[in-house]
Amino acid sequence: MASDEFRLVSPAIDNQGRLPRHFTMEGQGAKKNISPPLEWYNLPEGTKSLAVVVQDIDAPDPSGPIVPWTHWVVVNIPPTLKRLPEGFSGKEEEVGGDYAGIKEGNNDWKVPGWRGPKLPSHGHRFEFKLYALDDELHLGNKVTKEKLLEAIEGHVLGEAVLMAYF
């Protein structure tokens, strides 16, 4: 891997590795459904904001086909930041500073923030995708993956992907 390549990593998850239990709905107590830590390197030149979409890309649609199921949408991450800390979801204001302007969109359970996987989705691939954008997004109050993907068309300077298995 080129050392200057735009990339997304997690100190808690190896690429192609397992999603640790406390990031899922199968953890215990306070160690359950925590958003994983993410770090990124070598943002493309001209990046004005970052967005993250996490999907189970092996989720079966009850009516048949495999459709990605959205677990987390995060927008308006300033390029000055180099990471999202573990357990960040729902704590933008608390963490404050450059984190305060970050917005979490609705996942496919129609609630904002991180929602980890649970049975019967074992064996599924989880795709963490980071988008480097040449603009800031103004998506209004209700952010969804669909709204995000529509808004970033023509504004993506780079994409970085981290894969994990549940």
Side-chain angles (χ1 to χ4, degrees):
M1 178 181 292
S3 60
D4 58 354
E5 188 181 331
F6 176 41
R7 64 187 197 275
L8 176 65
V9 300
S10 172
I13 308 166
D14 292 330
N15 189 30
Q16 304 286 349
R18 288 225 159 273
L19 193 63
R21 220 183 146 97
H22 58 282
F23 303 132
T24 74
M25 297 297 277
E26 294 176 12
Q28 296 298 315
K31 280 287 190 195
K32 174 182 181 175
N33 202 33
I34 296 170
S35 62
L38 298 175
E39 297 175 356
W40 45 87
Y41 298 94
N42 308 312
L43 295 184
E45 208 171 308
T47 299
K48 298 239 173 30
S49 80
L50 298 160
V52 172
V53 174
V54 181
Q55 309 185 94
D56 174 347
I57 56 176
D58 293 319
D61 185 302
S63 59
I66 298 288
V67 227
W69 182 264
T70 307
H71 284 265
W72 203 19
V73 178
V74 189
V75 300
N76 294 346
I77 303 168
T80 47
L81 295 177
K82 301 286 176 246
R83 62 190 196 96
L84 291 180
E86 179 169 312
F88 170 77
S89 183
K91 299 194 171 74
E92 297 85 335
E93 298 295 318
E94 234 171 275
V95 180
D98 276 352
Y99 289 97
I102 294 175
K103 186 160 178 57
E104 292 187 279
N106 283 6
N107 53 39
D108 279 344
W109 285 273
K110 312 277 187 262
V111 293
W114 166 263
R115 166 87 55 108
K118 61 180 196 286
L119 286 167
S121 53
H122 287 266
H124 289 200
R125 288 171 301 164
F126 272 73
E127 178 190 71
F128 292 77
K129 190 180 274 193
L130 178 69
Y131 296 93
L133 308 170
D134 67 3
D135 206 357
E136 287 182 17
L137 299 175
H138 304 284
L139 296 174
N141 282 334
K142 201 172 155 213
V143 177
T144 60
K145 176 186 74 182
E146 290 68 30
K147 235 183 188 180
L148 166 67
L149 295 180
E150 200 173 297
I152 65 177
E153 230 167 89
H155 294 286
V156 180
L157 298 172
E159 295 180 6
V161 172
L162 169 70
M163 291 296 276
Y165 287 86
F166 173 56

CSV table of all heavy atoms in Angstrom, one decimal, residues 3 7 14 20 50 55 71 92 119 126 136 156:
chain,number,residue,atom,x,y,z
A,3,SER,N,2.3,4.7,0.8
A,3,SER,CA,2.2,5.4,2.1
A,3,SER,C,1.4,6.7,2.0
A,3,SER,O,0.9,7.2,3.0
A,3,SER,CB,3.6,5.7,2.6
A,3,SER,OG,4.2,6.6,1.7
A,7,ARG,N,-6.6,6.5,3.2
A,7,ARG,CA,-7.1,5.2,3.8
A,7,ARG,C,-7.8,5.4,5.1
A,7,ARG,O,-7.6,6.4,5.8
A,7,ARG,CB,-6.0,4.2,3.9
A,7,ARG,CG,-4.9,4.6,4.8
A,7,ARG,CD,-3.7,3.5,4.7
A,7,ARG,NE,-2.8,3.6,5.8
A,7,ARG,CZ,-1.8,4.4,5.9
A,7,ARG,NH1,-1.6,5.3,5.0
A,7,ARG,NH2,-1.0,4.4,7.0
A,14,ASP,N,-9.3,-5.1,12.5
A,14,ASP,CA,-8.4,-5.3,11.3
A,14,ASP,C,-9.2,-5.3,10.1
A,14,ASP,O,-10.3,-5.8,10.0
A,14,ASP,CB,-7.7,-6.7,11.4
A,14,ASP,CG,-6.8,-6.8,12.6
A,14,ASP,OD1,-6.2,-5.7,13.0
A,14,ASP,OD2,-6.6,-7.9,13.2
A,20,PRO,N,-15.5,-6.6,16.6
A,20,PRO,CA,-15.5,-7.0,18.0
A,20,PRO,C,-16.9,-6.8,18.6
A,20,PRO,O,-17.7,-5.9,18.3
A,20,PRO,CB,-14.6,-6.0,18.7
A,20,PRO,CG,-13.6,-5.6,17.6
A,20,PRO,CD,-14.5,-5.6,16.4
A,50,LEU,N,-15.8,15.5,5.4
A,50,LEU,CA,-15.8,14.0,5.3
A,50,LEU,C,-17.1,13.5,5.7
A,50,LEU,O,-17.8,14.0,6.5
A,50,LEU,CB,-14.7,13.4,6.2
A,50,LEU,CG,-13.2,13.9,5.9
A,50,LEU,CD1,-12.4,13.6,7.1
A,50,LEU,CD2,-12.7,13.1,4.7
A,55,GLN,N,-22.3,0.0,6.2
A,55,GLN,CA,-23.4,-0.8,5.7
A,55,GLN,C,-23.1,-2.3,5.8
A,55,GLN,O,-21.9,-2.7,5.7
A,55,GLN,CB,-23.7,-0.6,4.2
A,55,GLN,CG,-23.8,0.8,3.8
A,55,GLN,CD,-24.2,0.9,2.3
A,55,GLN,OE1,-25.4,1.0,2.0
A,55,GLN,NE2,-23.2,0.9,1.5
A,71,HIS,N,-26.0,1.0,8.8
A,71,HIS,CA,-25.8,1.0,10.2
A,71,HIS,C,-25.4,2.3,10.8
A,71,HIS,O,-25.6,2.6,12.0
A,71,HIS,CB,-24.8,-0.1,10.6
A,71,HIS,CG,-25.3,-1.4,10.5
A,71,HIS,ND1,-25.8,-2.1,11.6
A,71,HIS,CD2,-25.5,-2.3,9.5
A,71,HIS,CE1,-26.2,-3.3,11.2
A,71,HIS,NE2,-26.0,-3.4,9.9
A,92,GLU,N,-21.6,14.0,19.9
A,92,GLU,CA,-21.0,15.2,19.2
A,92,GLU,C,-20.9,16.4,20.1
A,92,GLU,O,-19.8,17.0,20.2
A,92,GLU,CB,-21.9,15.6,18.0
A,92,GLU,CG,-22.0,14.6,16.9
A,92,GLU,CD,-23.2,13.6,17.2
A,92,GLU,OE1,-23.5,13.4,18.4
A,92,GLU,OE2,-23.6,13.0,16.2
A,119,LEU,N,-27.7,-11.0,15.6
A,119,LEU,CA,-28.2,-12.2,14.9
A,119,LEU,C,-29.4,-11.9,14.1
A,119,LEU,O,-30.2,-11.0,14.6
A,119,LEU,CB,-28.6,-13.3,16.0
A,119,LEU,CG,-27.4,-14.0,16.7
A,119,LEU,CD1,-27.9,-14.8,17.9
A,119,LEU,CD2,-26.7,-14.9,15.7
A,126,PHE,N,-19.2,-6.1,6.6
A,126,PHE,CA,-19.5,-4.7,7.0
A,126,PHE,C,-18.6,-3.8,6.3
A,126,PHE,O,-17.4,-3.9,6.4
A,126,PHE,CB,-19.4,-4.5,8.5
A,126,PHE,CG,-20.7,-4.8,9.2
A,126,PHE,CD1,-21.1,-6.1,9.3
A,126,PHE,CD2,-21.5,-3.8,9.6
A,126,PHE,CE1,-22.3,-6.4,9.8
A,126,PHE,CE2,-22.7,-4.1,10.1
A,126,PHE,CZ,-23.1,-5.4,10.2
A,136,GLU,N,-18.9,21.4,1.8
A,136,GLU,CA,-19.6,21.0,3.0
A,136,GLU,C,-21.0,20.7,2.6
A,136,GLU,O,-21.5,21.3,1.6
A,136,GLU,CB,-19.5,22.2,4.0
A,136,GLU,CG,-18.2,22.3,4.6
A,136,GLU,CD,-18.1,23.4,5.7
A,136,GLU,OE1,-19.2,23.8,6.2
A,136,GLU,OE2,-17.0,23.7,6.0
A,156,VAL,N,-17.0,14.1,-4.8
A,156,VAL,CA,-16.1,13.1,-4.1
A,156,VAL,C,-14.7,13.2,-4.7
A,156,VAL,O,-14.4,12.9,-5.8
A,156,VAL,CB,-16.7,11.6,-4.3
A,156,VAL,CG1,-15.8,10.7,-3.6
A,156,VAL,CG2,-18.1,11.6,-3.8
